[in-house]
Amino acid sequence: MPVVTLPDGSQRRFDHPVTVDEVAAAIGPGLRKAALAGRVNGKLVDTSHVIADDAAFAVVTDRDPEGLDIIRHSTAHLLAQAVKELFPDAQVTIGPVIEDGFYYDFAYQRPFTPEDLAAIEAKMAELARADQKVTRRVMARDEAVKYFKGLGEFYKAEIIAAIPGKEEISLYGQGNWVDLCRGPHVPSTGKLKAFKLTKVAGAYWRGDSRNQMLQRIYGTAWPDKQQLEEHLKRLEEAEKRDHRRIGKDLDLFHLQEEAPGAVFWHPRGWTVFQSLIGYMRERQAAAGYEEVSAPELMDAELWRQSGHMEKFGENMYLTKTPDERLYAIKPMNCPGHVQIFKHGLRSYRELPVRFAEFGKVHRYEPSGALHGLMRVRAFTQDDGHVFVTEDQITSESVAITRLILDIYRDFGFEDVRIKYADRPPKRVGNDAIWDRAEAALKAASSAAGIEYTLNKGEGAFYGPKLEFVLRDAIGRDWQCGTLQVDLNMPERLGAYYIDEHSAKRTPVMLHRAMFGSLERFLAILLEHHAGKLPAWLSPVQAVVIGITERQDEYVLRVTETLKNQGLRVESDLRNEKVGFKIREHTLRRVPYLLVAGDKEVAANLLSVRTRSGKDLGTTSPETFAQGLRVELNSRGRKVWEG
RNA sequence: GCCGGCUUAGCUCAGUGGUAGAGCAGCGGUUUUGUAAACCGUUGGUCGGGAGUUCAAAUCUCUCAGCCGGCACCA
């Protein structure tokens, strides 16, 4: 007879097999009501699950992460049930839990409309109110296939057919609707109290663009209404951080129809962009890089040799000149850098050779992929290529890794994860070369003392890579930096150096980027800071504001003085009230507002206010400049506090 | 590229077949102002492009483009 051991170590003895529900009831009526599922010997099960033998036991409620997942999963089922009631011809496919919610894919003869969505959501609420019991039963595989085929659910039948033979096939029913599912599920639909359908979209069956397009409905679900509201609020806040919105508000850049996926940088945006470049120049020079610049346009033949034409030809811009020569606009900088390396004889004594370029590349991205500055067709990489001997891979990789991580700290990104991506299915070079490259990159990673997760099959076509992923202020991950070990490209493009025995040797090429795309990195910064860029990146670092025209001369003089010290300062002499000017510059996220009235002019002072509304008191222009300079020099690590 | 939605003044948005609107911005004045919006007046639109239906189209249909949300892709 079963003895169940609770998480606190206490035990309950039963004289007959019991269900999870019964055990929960034995512990307390409140817990029984809150029970969504059980955990028996580590395995999640329904509340109807029968425990016959001794077991470790826990009740799963909506306070457990697993409980939340179960709510979401069951809400996906509720969605499918509602769709089947309203659109009996629709076929169900899969409905997994995703971050903050769930989706369900349906095959239907027409796309669902926003009006359908409202109707479906209403039907879901109705079904939840009915508090239908959710029941589980097991069916033999062949029988299950037959069962779903009989229902006209051919996608389900296909899914079952693909389930490994030894796995149990379980069906879940609620009301008159049955779905194949691994479970577990909530005991009854009444447990689903707070959900909302968010969007409809097309999605390919089995994620393959050669397959039929299904209708995907997304939704979110939470334990209670309040948490749902909070989630919707968070989405709203994230929307306010949208770099496209901020870019417009702050007059940084725009995009227009004639140049899809290409950025028109306005003076303020370009100032930020140039600040990024200036910073990186400094860091790279200190790290032993030499800046180069390779042509934007090179003969297509070169791109054939590199392998780009074969793999990415469809995404390259080509142009035929009047002399009938075919040129490609560079989608990457590496072949150009190899040409510079190749020019002249290189000795092993010169290695490592470190080239860096703020190279503007063009890639014809699929139209549906474009997204503000995040995904564009013309962008600038802080691209570097280091030519090394095989012996130098480790030390050089360690140096690159350290540099990347240190640079991220200057931008206030402390939380950085690293992924290791190995050989992709479509690649150049033989397996022996890949074995060496992968081993070298792994060795370098452990020498650098970094931990990584595996990103299987996601390496570049010419070599494995480390991907540096940073986490922003609202918890989103962005892959930016990359380090790739390439034993293929130098050989394909005929690069070599002379070793200590006067023999020709092919160098190894390390590809690396810190920002990745400057356009995208800038977008990430805008969203991370919600537009409040640190002063060293702000297009305007301070505005000097006069209260009446009596201060005009002083305001101009102070502005001039600060500008002469290399600070980005403007004056605002407009015929407006101070409150109005403060409001405008605050909305433009200017870090410091320097107000001068008669009192300040008389004492040669400025009244300093930050964009977050903090009053830093009065100070002389000299002291302010000094403090700001300290802040600028410490990058994102420190701010001036008056 | 695929599915859906959207596109009206510089910006944010009303306007469901019958003479194109509002707020903000801009411009011209008044006001000389103390830390997130002073007041008065006023300019501004081939309603994304093209084609069609209709006596009549911002509004209905087709088509192209761009954008937005997903999917697929991402050297």
Side-chain angles (χ1 to χ4, degrees):
Chain A
M1 291 298 101
V3 174
V4 303
T5 306
L6 305 182
D8 66 359
S10 67
Q11 296 190 322
R12 302 268 168 158
R13 184 176 301 272
F14 295 89
D15 55 9
H16 55 90
V18 285
T19 63
V20 169
D21 178 54
E22 285 165 330
V23 179
I27 300 170
L31 187 62
R32 180 191 189 181
K33 204 165 157 228
L36 297 175
R39 180 186 290 286
V40 176
N41 293 328
K43 199 170 162 264
L44 286 175
V45 296
D46 297 293
T47 55
S48 60
H49 176 84
V50 177
I51 304 168
D53 301 309
D54 294 358
F57 175 90
V59 172
V60 175
T61 69
D62 62 25
R63 299 206 188 157
D64 302 296
E66 298 89 345
L68 187 52
D69 277 0
I70 290 168
I71 286 177
R72 288 174 178 159
H73 192 185
S74 292
T75 309
H77 267 221
L78 189 66
L79 162 62
Q81 184 186 9
V83 167
K84 288 295 289 186
E85 294 222 349
L86 295 172
F87 309 94
D89 298 348
Q91 288 188 64
V92 294
T93 66
I94 55 163
V97 171
I98 53 173
E99 197 182 349
D100 295 333
F102 60 89
Y103 67 77
Y104 209 115
D105 285 347
F106 301 92
Y108 193 50
Q109 66 261 31
R110 66 165 176 84
F112 293 117
T113 64
E115 293 73 47
D116 292 336
L117 218 59
I120 295 167
E121 195 175 300
K123 175 60 81 176
M124 287 168 72
E126 181 192 321
L127 293 168
R129 268 197 309 276
D131 198 16
Q132 295 171 336
K133 229 171 137 46
V134 178
T135 56
R136 178 181 193 271
R137 77 184 136 126
V138 175
M139 201 182 261
R141 220 166 97 111
D142 296 346
E143 199 188 330
V145 171
K146 217 186 307 165
Y147 175 73
F148 281 104
K149 276 191 179 158
L151 290 176
E153 298 283 7
F154 299 102
Y155 287 90
K156 272 295 173 200
E158 192 180 327
I159 293 167
I160 299 169
I163 294 175
K166 52 186 179 302
E167 266 183 51
E168 203 172 55
I169 307 281
S170 57
L171 304 188
Y172 279 81
Q174 55 201 52
N176 51 10
W177 132 264
V178 176
D179 197 6
L180 162 87
C181 190
R182 192 178 294 126
H185 278 287
V186 296
S188 69
T189 58
K191 301 283 182 197
L192 310 174
K193 295 183 286 262
F195 50 80
K196 185 174 168 56
L197 299 184
T198 50
K199 53 200 167 198
V200 267
Y204 299 108
W205 167 236
R206 291 183 185 269
D208 190 326
S209 58
R210 287 166 301 191
N211 289 343
Q212 187 195 337
M213 184 155 275
L214 306 173
Q215 302 305 320
R216 176 170 297 179
I217 298 177
Y218 285 90
T220 184
W222 298 84
D224 54 57
K225 290 263 191 300
Q226 194 190 336
Q227 288 184 57
L228 173 63
E229 286 306 315
E230 282 166 12
H231 169 70
L232 297 175
K233 190 95 193 160
R234 276 195 299 278
L235 289 185
E236 241 172 74
E237 289 301 314
E239 216 167 292
K240 281 189 200 153
R241 288 173 177 259
D242 192 310
H243 73 279
R244 294 166 296 193
R245 172 84 260 140
I246 294 172
K248 202 178 267 183
D249 288 348
L250 271 57
D251 191 21
L252 301 179
F253 65 88
H254 84 268
L255 297 145
Q256 70 184 46
E257 242 182 277
E258 289 79 359
V263 186
F264 290 78
W265 286 103
H266 296 11
R268 284 163 191 260
W270 195 239
T271 301
V272 183
F273 198 96
Q274 285 302 319
S275 301
L276 287 176
I277 289 185
Y279 167 79
M280 193 57 88
R281 272 208 171 105
E282 227 172 82
R283 297 300 308 255
Q284 285 179 343
Y289 286 83
E290 300 173 285
E291 196 172 321
V292 297
S293 178
E296 322 269 291
L297 222 57
M298 295 191 285
D299 198 297
E301 184 49 37
L302 189 70
W303 299 100
R304 251 178 226 115
Q305 266 178 48
S306 69
H308 287 92
M309 277 295 257
E310 196 193 340
K311 183 127 204 304
F312 291 106
E314 303 248 301
N315 301 301
M316 285 168 65
Y317 287 91
L318 295 169
T319 178
K320 195 178 254 176
T321 47
D323 61 359
E324 294 292 300
R325 259 181 95 169
L326 187 63
Y327 291 90
I329 302 176
K330 68 176 176 184
M332 282 188 83
N333 300 298
C334 28
H337 293 182
V338 172
Q339 305 314 308
I340 298 173
F341 179 86
K342 278 171 66 180
H343 202 80
L345 262 192
R346 296 279 177 183
S347 152
Y348 72 96
R349 294 171 195 274
E350 293 176 56
L351 303 185
V353 167
R354 305 184 187 90
F355 288 154
E357 175 173 3
F358 296 98
K360 187 157 187 188
V361 296
H362 289 73
R363 299 176 180 177
Y364 183 75
E365 302 285 3
S367 57
L370 301 179
H371 180 95
L373 298 182
M374 296 289 190
R375 190 85 181 268
V376 286
R377 285 178 174 163
F379 62 101
T380 312
Q381 293 178 313
D382 61 321
D383 207 359
H385 294 95
V386 185
F387 297 86
V388 293
T389 65
E390 264 190 80
D391 291 344
Q392 292 169 330
I393 295 177
T394 300
S395 60
E396 198 58 28
S397 297
V398 169
I400 290 169
T401 303
R402 295 219 171 114
L403 182 60
I404 292 180
L405 294 175
D406 192 60
I407 281 171
Y408 288 170
R409 278 192 285 275
D410 271 346
F411 289 91
F413 294 115
E414 299 283 345
D415 192 352
V416 181
R417 279 140 230 263
I418 300 171
K419 292 193 280 188
Y420 167 79
D422 61 5
R423 67 191 78 182
K426 270 179 86 181
R427 57 180 181 262
V428 295
N430 60 40
D431 286 353
I433 286 182
W434 277 89
D435 288 343
R436 266 158 62 212
E438 288 180 357
L441 188 53
K442 277 187 184 161
S445 304
S446 60
I450 57 170
E451 283 175 30
Y452 56 78
T453 54
L454 179 66
N455 198 6
K456 199 149 183 44
E458 295 293 319
F461 73 87
Y462 45 74
K465 61 183 179 186
L466 290 183
E467 299 168 337
F468 295 80
V469 180
L470 41 89
R471 181 155 290 185
D472 75 7
I474 54 173
R476 295 173 303 180
D477 287 340
W478 304 97
Q479 188 197 310
C480 294
T482 179
L483 165 60
Q484 303 159 9
V485 175
D486 181 0
L487 270 57
N488 285 304
M489 197 81 72
E491 191 181 9
R492 289 178 76 97
L493 294 175
Y496 62 88
Y497 65 93
I498 306 298
D499 73 4
E500 59 268 51
H501 309 296
S502 298
K504 284 185 182 177
R505 299 277 296 242
T506 305
V508 175
M509 183 155 74
L510 303 178
H511 304 239
R512 46 103 284 194
M514 323 260 179
F515 295 144
S517 147
L518 269 87
E519 284 76 358
R520 179 162 170 274
F521 194 78
L522 182 37
I524 293 167
L525 285 175
L526 287 174
E527 302 204 350
H528 176 63
H529 293 290
K532 291 184 186 175
L533 292 172
W536 71 284
L537 292 168
S538 288
V540 178
Q541 291 157 339
V543 174
V544 190
I545 298 168
I547 290 174
T548 73
E549 51 191 27
R550 284 196 301 280
Q551 296 87 34
D552 281 6
E553 195 216 318
Y554 179 74
V555 167
L556 285 171
R557 198 168 71 234
V558 169
T559 305
E560 229 17 61
T561 311
L562 296 173
K563 277 168 83 170
N564 287 341
Q565 296 175 59
L567 303 171
R568 296 196 285 262
V569 181
E570 290 179 355
S571 50
D572 186 347
L573 302 179
R574 288 175 306 168
N575 176 16
E576 297 288 353
K577 298 181 102 158
V578 217
F580 180 85
K581 296 185 187 178
I582 296 277
R583 176 183 152 84
E584 255 191 12
H585 298 300
T586 301
L587 288 174
R588 288 218 150 180
R589 322 284 211 279
V590 175
Y592 297 105
L593 306 182
L594 313 173
V595 179
D598 287 338
K599 281 180 281 183
E600 285 78 10
V601 173
N604 187 35
L605 292 171
L606 292 165
S607 165
V608 185
R609 179 192 161 108
T610 70
R611 61 187 158 196
S612 38
K614 203 167 153 201
D615 180 3
L616 298 182
T618 53
T619 186
S620 70
E622 293 70 36
T623 314
F624 172 76
Q626 212 173 359
L628 181 55
R629 268 200 308 274
V630 170
E631 175 177 342
L632 301 183
N633 291 333
S634 66
R635 312 292 182 194
R637 305 193 197 202
K638 208 167 117 193
V639 295
W640 182 62
E641 306 245 312

